[in-house]
Amino acid sequence: MQFLEPLELCYRSLCSCGDRPIADGSLLDFLRQVSTFGLSLVRLDIRQESERHTDVLDAITKHLDIGSSYRDWSEEGRQEWLLAELSGKRPLFGPDLPKTEEISDVLDTFKVISELPSDCFGAYIISMATSPSDVLAVELLQRECHVKNPLRVVPLFEKLADLEAAPAAVARLFSIDWYKNRINGKQEVMIGYSDSGKDAGRLSAAWELYKAQEELVKVAKKYGVKLTMFHGRGGTVGRGGGPTHLAILSQPPDTVNGSLRVTVQGEVIEQSFGEAHLCFRTLQRFTAATLEHGMNPPISPKPEWRALLDEMAIVATEEYRSVVFQEPRFVEYFRLVSIHSYQSKFHQSFCVF
């Protein structure tokens, strides 16, 4: 690494001048840190909502005057065009592309990715992913923005209908030769606990998350792809919170296989990783549960259990949506309860201090 050269020169210079005690102080510590972690310390995932990528491609197709706008195309039409462009070499846009603030934000993000070392970044996550074109769109934008080492693209399926459609979407991606060559036999798929819960309620969301993982594993096995499930969990029960050990053990058979990814939401980072002993215990729970899941896999639900849960999920979704989406007084009630809860917590905090 080029950054190490001047540091090592300073170290050798100090030693040759008889100042080894100084060289072996903070400078040596810094040398070790750079050698161990590099300049980025940890890899940063990038996350953007799928519609923002659609906005960019819509602007490009309008600017190039390619028939109707990208937004109006069918899913098949989008895939066909994206794959044609990915297989070609022509640039799609230049500095004259008309840009809104939102479009500039997306393209500027890709520009930063292209300028920084690849070891600064992990995955590019697509929030609210619904279809194969969402993934292909990011692949094309990475190429157009000159990202030399493209980030792996991870679709995040969140709402109930998107979770149901996820296996078919991933199967379509794996059936595309260009994409199969691109991923080199590995794929991450992220599933969202929070938005699925908001969309359908906790019971229906949990059951659909379970079934989606089962089907995704079957698709991956069919196409010979190593699938890593990426869990978007939070602190509260509605965001997938709960005991970490039990949560991992409750995952469907063959969905862990010795590895999984979990994103920990902001509200629980401090309590799980804020101190060294807490961090160690949290990682210990993750590791132990992951190993136990592989050595003692859970059993699959019996057919009669599945049938019952399917019936319960339908009823639960209808009841949940009848209150949250159809009850005109719900928003007012929720706002008042939230304000009261916030005021109570603030008063308690004020009294403590």
Side-chain angles (χ1 to χ4, degrees):
M1 183 187 297
Q2 292 180 343
F3 185 66
L4 278 173
E5 293 179 7
L7 295 176
E8 291 170 345
L9 178 62
C10 291
Y11 183 84
R12 290 194 299 271
S13 177
L14 286 168
C15 291
S16 64
C17 293
D19 290 325
R20 181 147 198 147
I22 296 175
D24 286 342
S26 57
L27 177 57
L28 182 58
D29 289 342
F30 189 45
L31 273 164
R32 287 168 174 163
Q33 289 169 4
V34 173
S35 298
T36 303
F37 301 110
L39 294 178
S40 54
L41 185 62
V42 293
R43 292 176 181 267
L44 178 69
D45 283 350
I46 305 297
R47 182 163 164 175
Q48 184 58 273
E49 204 263 335
S50 60
E51 280 297 305
R52 300 288 292 275
H53 305 131
T54 300
D55 290 341
V56 175
L57 291 171
D58 192 62
I60 291 172
T61 54
K62 286 179 178 177
H63 183 60
L64 296 176
D65 196 22
I66 305 176
S68 58
S69 69
Y70 179 85
R71 186 176 295 281
D72 297 331
W73 296 354
S74 66
E75 173 61 20
E76 291 73 18
R78 290 184 181 186
Q79 291 180 35
E80 183 179 357
W81 181 74
L82 290 166
L83 287 169
E85 294 300 330
L86 283 165
S87 300
K89 295 182 179 180
R90 68 165 181 170
L92 279 178
F93 65 90
D96 60 333
L97 176 70
K99 301 172 187 174
T100 63
E101 184 178 345
E102 290 77 12
I103 290 174
S104 294
D105 179 60
V106 174
L107 293 177
D108 287 346
T109 300
F110 281 108
K111 183 181 179 183
V112 170
I113 296 171
S114 70
E115 293 174 346
L116 292 176
S118 59
D119 58 1
C120 293
F121 302 104
Y124 193 108
I125 302 166
I126 309 171
S127 298
M128 293 295 175
T130 62
S131 56
S133 64
D134 291 330
V135 175
L136 297 175
V138 173
E139 295 286 7
L140 181 59
L141 288 174
Q142 289 197 88
R143 192 199 72 179
E144 288 300 308
C145 295
H146 311 292
V147 180
K148 295 179 181 178
N149 297 297
L151 277 59
R152 64 186 189 277
V153 182
V154 179
L156 166 52
F157 300 102
E158 303 185 72
K159 293 190 174 181
L160 202 65
D162 299 333
L163 285 166
E164 292 173 349
V170 172
R172 169 57 185 150
L173 283 171
F174 292 166
S175 69
I176 299 171
D177 290 337
W178 182 92
Y179 189 76
K180 193 77 180 294
N181 293 331
R182 159 76 173 95
I183 61 175
N184 195 28
K186 297 178 181 179
Q187 176 70 52
E188 286 177 33
V189 174
M190 190 173 180
I191 51 175
Y193 289 69
S194 178
D195 279 282
S196 59
K198 294 173 190 173
D199 181 39
R202 284 168 50 193
L203 174 67
S204 302
W207 181 227
E208 195 56 50
L209 287 162
Y210 189 96
K211 292 193 295 182
Q213 289 186 77
E214 287 183 314
E215 294 303 314
L216 285 166
V217 166
K218 292 178 183 177
V219 169
K221 286 184 177 179
K222 177 181 177 181
Y223 288 93
V225 174
K226 184 185 186 310
L227 180 69
T228 298
M229 297 306 309
F230 190 176
H231 300 264
R233 288 164 50 87
T236 63
V237 176
R239 292 169 67 85
T244 299
H245 190 87
L246 290 176
I248 295 175
L249 292 183
S250 68
Q251 300 308 307
D254 297 324
T255 58
V256 176
N257 289 327
S259 66
L260 78 163
R261 285 197 78 196
V262 178
T263 179
V264 181
Q265 302 292 349
E267 70 269 23
V268 292
I269 289 178
E270 181 67 22
Q271 69 188 52
S272 298
F273 299 96
E275 297 180 20
H277 72 281
L278 293 176
C279 181
F280 178 78
R281 288 182 62 185
T282 299
L283 294 174
Q284 192 177 46
R285 290 192 190 101
F286 276 110
T287 304
T290 301
L291 292 172
E292 187 176 346
H293 190 284
M295 292 186 293
N296 186 25
I299 61 171
S300 296
K302 296 178 181 179
E304 55 268 31
W305 298 353
R306 291 180 179 276
L308 181 58
L309 271 169
D310 285 337
E311 293 178 20
M312 292 171 64
I314 292 172
V315 175
T317 300
E318 291 175 350
E319 292 295 324
Y320 171 83
R321 289 177 175 174
S322 70
V323 175
V324 176
F325 297 107
Q326 298 170 18
E327 171 55 63
R329 298 171 296 172
F330 174 77
V331 174
E332 180 184 1
Y333 162 78
F334 189 76
R335 183 182 294 116
L336 290 172
V337 171
S338 300
I339 292 173
H340 176 72
S341 174
Y342 173 78
Q343 289 174 338
S344 298
K345 289 181 179 179
F346 176 80
H347 177 69
Q348 293 169 2
S349 300
F350 182 79
C351 290
V352 169
F353 288 106

